[in-house]
Amino acid sequence: MMLKELFPSFYDCSTNLKEDTRWNSDFNFDMESCTTLHDLWIDEIHPLQDYHEKEIDLTESLCHDILNLHTRYQQHEELLWFLQFQFAVSLSSRLGHKKLFMELFQWLANSLSTTIGFNVQRETKLDRIYIFQMSQHPYVRHCFNRSFAEWTNMLFYQQRVKGGFYEIVKYYVEHFYPKLEILASPIYYDDIIILAFCQIQTWASNIGNQNLKDKCSHILMFFYTRPWLLSASGKIIAMQFCACGYEYTQTTREVWFERVQKMFSIDANEQLQLMCAVYKGDSSAILSNLDQIISSIRGYHKMVDKLVKNEIQKDFEISRVYSIVQQLIDTLLAAGEIQAIVTIISEFFKIPNESRISNEFLIIQHNTPGGVRYAKQGKVVHSGTDPHDYGGRIIKQLNHFMNMTIALIDELHPTRSPEDLQEVGTPEPQHGKELEQILVEHFNLTDPNIQETIRSSPAYYLYSEFQLPLQALFLKYAKAGLPIVQSFRKPYSTKSISKILMWQGDCNMSEYECDGVQEIFEKAGAKVDRFNWYEDDQALFLKAYHEKDYNLVWISCHGQFDHFRPHLSYLLMNRAKEDGSPNKIPLADLNYISSSSDGRRLLVLNACDGATTTLINSPGSIGFGASLVTGGQSLISHQWPIDDYAGLILGLLLGIALSEGYDYQQSFNDTLEHFFSGQDKIVDRFKSYISNNDLYDRIEYSAKIQYDNLFYYGSFTYLE
């Protein structure tokens, strides 16, 4: 049969080569046919290198076709399993290069699975490696060594950075590593084999396996000293020894650094990597060479500007490489060098010097050898709690509470099975108090020294790969409500609230909320321009959103945060009246640009996940919170899908506080303090501002809220 007939889904996904004559060639399960299929995939996927979702769709279609062939061609099962392995591993390398670790995890799992999918738990058939190794099929024999090395490279890369494959890498070291050692010879020489040893060496160093680390170092030195080694391979090894294993070579890291600079041509990205590797762990060296580090960051930006023209792709590239400078930030945090951190982060995200935040804020790192680290300029305080105990417990509790599947580095199985999960990121109220207890314990929020550290700070930045609901807990336990630093830009001065833009969506409580907020502000003498979903055009609202004369923008609608594809998150303004289709505003359309002369306004986004971010909290994070906060706009919203009545009550309390003239942070604090007081006092406060008696009845008889449960108040977030 023709190739396009055996692989119909792959053919249907073809965008560039639909008319290619190779589709009409017979697929005979031989060397030539498999090579043709592989070449077609390469030619199809190469133009898609800037569009990883299309790369995934194309490869997923091909792998599904391969799985479907097992029933009809059982005699070729071995070859079909290998083709699935080869294509999944090749895609994994592309995803790993882009640091898309969630997708990398999935495709490493797909490579040796009986299914192709996005499930958390799947069976990995490691016995197939032995089958491939012993295969007599010409194509498998020809391609296996490279695919095996490529799989090794990505497997240990994923494990050392994000985890999820501990049992597999443990089995690998005991059973497959000797096979990789055999490939360390001129006969099988390939750059990917060198990269595989580099990844294993780094992983072994991270977990303290000195014997394995030394074995890898020995093999890398063997390659490095061979006269036949290509210059590009020598560069890979030399750069690796700058970061890891240099002590085995009896040569210092600094000497390797000088050797790389003198002997090899390196681009701006590699220069930045080298400097971060050489100076990590030594804050004095970082400070002494800060100008050189800044110069390398600027050189990296010039390279990106030259090579990448698409602005979205450029932002992604910068956010991706942010992990490189985290080595420097970790070192500076331990020394309390906040000013240097601000400088590095600001340079990395191109924040002009005059727009940068001051160094007075607090940076919190939750998983250090001393427990939680609270770092200010010249001062570092630790919680004294055991990170090995609390780190895992917090992740597991977050998984329970938020229905997430955050992986522990050395844990294979997630804490929730797929059957138990609701929608990803949807919290469960019964776990709220448990999460609060473990956070209070680990962050030691009852300790007077830590409380004073928090109270004496004007703002805080959580240096973490995932968000934690600390803001409300700081107010509850330390009596200090601090804004969260998100943009690293100096906030513009605020103006009194006199003109308000409002959107009422079709959420259950939106009408009550918007009626109440409008009445509150009009009684205070402010002008409210209100758009209602059932009678107004959202395009006109979006035009008004970008006008500069509104001091407050209030949006009550649905928020749809995509935890797996955060750049595709959007606001669901309402369901269309005609056919029920969603009216969406994508994240990109909400970017608000203003100057310091316009002042700073407040955006209140009473929507689920309106303050959620991803890709480690930074100016380059992706999500509503990261995209909507600038020097000219602060944000109050929620970090997770909020209970309807809790969202209504928090919104009305916030409106009252703002109408009374409190600034944004004071209003945020006042809102939570009144929320903590309980339902009776809340209703009493409303009656002085809102005349709608039906609202009080709804709250008194329908709101089933535990006012001391983190689920109901912990999502409330203020970012600037």
Side-chain angles (χ1 to χ4, degrees), residues 225-237:
T225 55
R226 297 307 95 179
W228 43 261
L229 188 77
L230 296 178
S231 175
S233 301
K235 174 181 168 182
I236 292 171
I237 296 171

Side-chain angles (χ1 to χ4, degrees), residues 273-458:
Q273 289 184 57
L274 284 171
M275 299 190 74
C276 293
V278 170
Y279 298 140
K280 69 177 180 181
D282 188 344
S283 59
S284 297
I286 295 173
L287 295 174
S288 299
N289 295 278
L290 191 57
D291 289 342
Q292 191 179 2
I293 292 170
I294 291 172
S295 177
S296 69
I297 292 173
R298 291 174 178 173
Y300 164 71
H301 277 295
K302 288 181 181 178
M303 181 190 74
V304 173
D305 289 341
K306 182 179 180 180
L307 297 178
V308 184
K309 301 304 180 184
N310 182 288
E311 289 300 319
I312 295 176
Q313 184 66 22
K314 188 180 296 184
D315 289 344
F316 175 82
E317 168 67 18
I318 292 171
S319 298
R320 180 181 72 82
V321 179
Y322 179 56
S323 59
I324 295 174
V325 300
Q326 289 171 26
Q327 301 172 82
L328 304 182
I329 294 173
D330 287 341
T331 301
L332 293 169
L333 271 178
E337 295 291 350
I338 307 303
Q339 183 57 59
I341 292 173
V342 171
T343 300
I344 290 173
I345 291 177
S346 297
E347 285 289 342
F348 198 87
F349 292 102
K350 292 186 174 181
I351 301 174
N353 189 56
E354 66 276 9
S355 300
R356 296 174 186 176
I357 192 173
S358 72
N359 67 352
E360 298 172 354
F361 66 101
L362 173 68
I363 300 182
I364 301 172
Q365 196 175 11
H366 73 88
N367 201 19
T368 75
V372 178
R373 175 182 288 148
Y374 296 87
K376 300 178 69 173
Q377 182 65 35
K379 178 183 179 182
V380 179
V381 178
H382 290 92
S383 67
T385 48
D386 183 358
H388 299 292
D389 176 25
Y390 279 99
R393 285 170 60 193
I394 286 176
I395 287 176
K396 289 179 179 180
Q397 195 59 52
L398 270 177
N399 285 344
H400 280 291
F401 177 63
M402 290 290 290
N403 281 298
M404 298 292 284
T405 53
I406 302 169
L408 294 169
I409 288 293
D410 285 343
E411 181 178 63
L412 175 63
H413 301 293
T415 58
R416 309 295 305 277
S417 67
E419 293 77 14
D420 292 336
L421 295 179
Q422 300 178 20
E423 183 179 352
V424 171
T426 302
E428 297 182 1
Q430 66 268 29
H431 298 301
K433 291 187 177 181
E434 298 168 8
L435 179 59
E436 176 173 340
Q437 180 180 350
I438 196 171
L439 289 173
V440 171
E441 289 176 5
H442 184 41
F443 285 80
N444 207 357
L445 295 181
T446 58
D447 180 85
N449 189 26
I450 289 176
Q451 289 179 345
E452 177 55 33
T453 300
I454 296 171
R455 282 195 294 266
S456 62
S457 305

Side-chain angles (χ1 to χ4, degrees), residues 538 570 572-576 579-584:
Q538 77 176 39
Y570 58 86
L572 179 57
M573 305 302 282
N574 59 272
R575 297 283 177 182
D579 57 4
S581 60
N583 284 330
K584 304 176 183 178

Side-chain angles (χ1 to χ4, degrees), residues 27-46:
F27 189 84
N28 299 316
F29 297 89
D30 57 7
M31 178 77 172
E32 182 180 355
S33 299
C34 292
T35 302
T36 299
L37 177 64
H38 182 265
D39 290 348
L40 260 177
W41 180 80
I42 291 292
D43 293 343
E44 282 280 5
I45 209 166
H46 181 71

Side-chain angles (χ1 to χ4, degrees), residues 110-370:
N110 284 337
S111 67
L112 293 170
S113 177
T114 55
T115 60
I116 300 295
F118 211 65
N119 297 327
V120 177
Q121 291 180 325
R122 264 167 294 160
E123 184 178 5
T124 300
K125 298 285 190 179
L126 291 176
D127 60 311
R128 291 183 193 166
I129 297 296
Y130 296 110
I131 295 172
F132 301 154
Q133 189 174 348
M134 302 300 294
S135 175
Q136 296 304 306
H137 192 286
Y139 185 77
V140 179
R141 288 173 63 83
H142 178 72
C143 298
F144 171 67
N145 287 337
R146 178 173 178 81
S147 292
F148 174 73
E150 200 170 15
W151 175 65
T152 301
N153 182 36
M154 287 297 106
L155 178 66
F156 282 88
Y157 182 39
Q158 170 72 27
Q159 182 60 25
R160 74 175 179 83
V161 177
K162 291 293 183 181
F165 291 113
Y166 176 69
E167 293 179 15
I168 294 176
V169 297
K170 182 180 178 182
Y171 186 92
Y172 183 104
V173 171
E174 294 175 358
H175 300 278
F176 295 149
Y177 180 76
K179 162 65 178 175
L180 188 69
E181 285 188 314
I182 293 174
L183 300 182
S185 73
I187 300 174
Y188 303 109
Y189 165 70
D190 193 307
D191 274 355
I192 196 64
I193 296 172
I194 292 174
L195 290 170
F197 279 108
C198 290
Q199 292 295 349
I200 297 175
Q201 182 201 50
T202 304
W203 174 78
S205 178
N206 290 348
I207 68 167
N209 188 335
Q210 190 63 44
N211 181 50
L212 181 60
K213 178 183 177 183
D214 287 346
K215 285 183 178 181
C216 293
S217 299
H218 175 78
I219 289 173
L220 290 173
M221 276 302 292
F222 164 79
F223 275 119
Y224 188 76
T225 55
R226 297 307 95 179
W228 43 261
L229 188 77
L230 296 178
S231 175
S233 301
K235 174 181 168 182
I236 292 171
I237 296 171
M239 289 186 65
Q240 175 68 11
F241 280 129
C242 286
C244 182
Y246 60 89
E247 63 277 6
Y248 181 89
T249 68
Q250 298 182 335
T251 303
T252 66
R253 175 185 278 158
E254 289 72 22
V255 170
W256 278 108
F257 181 38
E258 293 174 4
R259 188 175 294 174
V260 170
Q261 290 185 309
K262 290 179 181 178
M263 296 177 60
F264 305 104
S265 174
I266 56 176
D267 61 30
N269 184 11
E270 292 168 332
Q271 175 72 15
L272 182 58
Q273 289 184 57
L274 284 171
M275 299 190 74
C276 293
V278 170
Y279 298 140
K280 69 177 180 181
D282 188 344
S283 59
S284 297
I286 295 173
L287 295 174
S288 299
N289 295 278
L290 191 57
D291 289 342
Q292 191 179 2
I293 292 170
I294 291 172
S295 177
S296 69
I297 292 173
R298 291 174 178 173
Y300 164 71
H301 277 295
K302 288 181 181 178
M303 181 190 74
V304 173
D305 289 341
K306 182 179 180 180
L307 297 178
V308 184
K309 301 304 180 184
N310 182 288
E311 289 300 319
I312 295 176
Q313 184 66 22
K314 188 180 296 184
D315 289 344
F316 175 82
E317 168 67 18
I318 292 171
S319 298
R320 180 181 72 82
V321 179
Y322 179 56
S323 59
I324 295 174
V325 300
Q326 289 171 26
Q327 301 172 82
L328 304 182
I329 294 173
D330 287 341
T331 301
L332 293 169
L333 271 178
E337 295 291 350
I338 307 303
Q339 183 57 59
I341 292 173
V342 171
T343 300
I344 290 173
I345 291 177
S346 297
E347 285 289 342
F348 198 87
F349 292 102
K350 292 186 174 181
I351 301 174
N353 189 56
E354 66 276 9
S355 300
R356 296 174 186 176
I357 192 173
S358 72
N359 67 352
E360 298 172 354
F361 66 101
L362 173 68
I363 300 182
I364 301 172
Q365 196 175 11
H366 73 88
N367 201 19
T368 75

